[in-house]
Amino acid sequence: MKKIFSFIFLVQLLLIASACSDQNIVPKEKAGNVVDTYGIKTFTVTIDTKEQKEALHVSFTEKKDRSEAEYSNKKDEISLHGEKALKKIMAAFEKLEPDPEADETELITKTAEAFDFKDYKMIRLEVTFKGYDPKEIMFSK
């Protein structure tokens, strides 16, 4: 009886763990829109403010077999995953007007403004534009 209970508990735990890991998945056609429209294959930004560490964490990754998006804004108490996160990220990309040729300072400034975090303490940005080498930038005020 104890073995059966343990087996059932293990199966339930595995089902819960596998269900939670898929929450950030974005349908292939929607992820393709980001690459086609903005030329961005990966994008991760983390912004710390004076009041809060990781006040903003945004992540988008376009991969061949699965793409993911995550948006967490502690200042506005918003946490989104998958398609909802992608919608929020794409709205910021419209303001950002990403340019792979932009210098690092311009990218940082525009990213902070696009996500409505003009007053920040530190910002970490990792972005890969289609056909370009990845950029990793960290800037502190």
Side-chain angles (χ1 to χ4, degrees):
M1 185 69 170
K2 196 174 188 181
K3 287 182 180 182
I4 292 174
F5 178 74
S6 297
F7 177 75
I8 292 172
F9 178 76
L10 181 63
V11 169
Q12 287 177 336
L13 187 63
L14 288 172
L15 288 173
I16 290 170
S18 66
C20 292
S21 66
D22 291 344
Q23 69 182 357
N24 295 340
I25 293 181
V26 176
K28 198 171 199 65
E29 65 278 356
K30 294 198 179 195
N33 287 340
V34 175
V35 178
D36 295 341
T37 306
Y38 303 105
I40 294 177
K41 293 183 67 60
T42 65
F43 181 90
T44 302
V45 65
T46 303
I47 297 177
D48 297 345
T49 63
K50 291 176 185 175
E51 298 82 27
Q52 201 162 38
K53 189 171 174 98
E54 290 192 19
L56 177 78
H57 178 78
V58 173
S59 175
F60 168 76
T61 306
E62 190 266 343
K63 296 179 183 175
K64 190 173 188 175
D65 47 335
R66 76 189 249 169
S67 298
E68 297 181 10
E70 182 178 7
Y71 178 93
S72 174
N73 182 331
K74 292 180 183 175
K75 178 176 76 173
D76 296 335
E77 297 180 3
I78 299 172
S79 182
L80 304 171
H81 304 277
E83 289 185 62
K84 290 179 182 178
L86 183 62
K87 186 176 180 179
K88 193 81 167 167
I89 293 167
M90 287 184 71
F93 284 172
E94 285 181 30
K95 295 178 195 175
L96 174 61
E97 299 175 356
D99 178 10
E101 301 292 330
D103 68 7
E104 291 183 356
T105 305
E106 182 181 357
L107 260 175
I108 289 292
T109 303
K110 283 186 161 187
T111 300
E113 289 174 359
F115 287 98
D116 295 321
F117 275 84
K118 295 175 188 168
D119 185 31
Y120 57 88
K121 182 179 174 184
M122 185 172 63
I123 183 168
R124 289 177 299 278
L125 174 64
E126 296 176 29
V127 62
T128 304
F129 290 96
K130 187 175 182 179
Y132 290 83
D133 290 334
K135 292 184 181 193
E136 292 184 34
I137 309 164
M138 189 164 122
F139 184 82
S140 296
K141 281 186 176 180

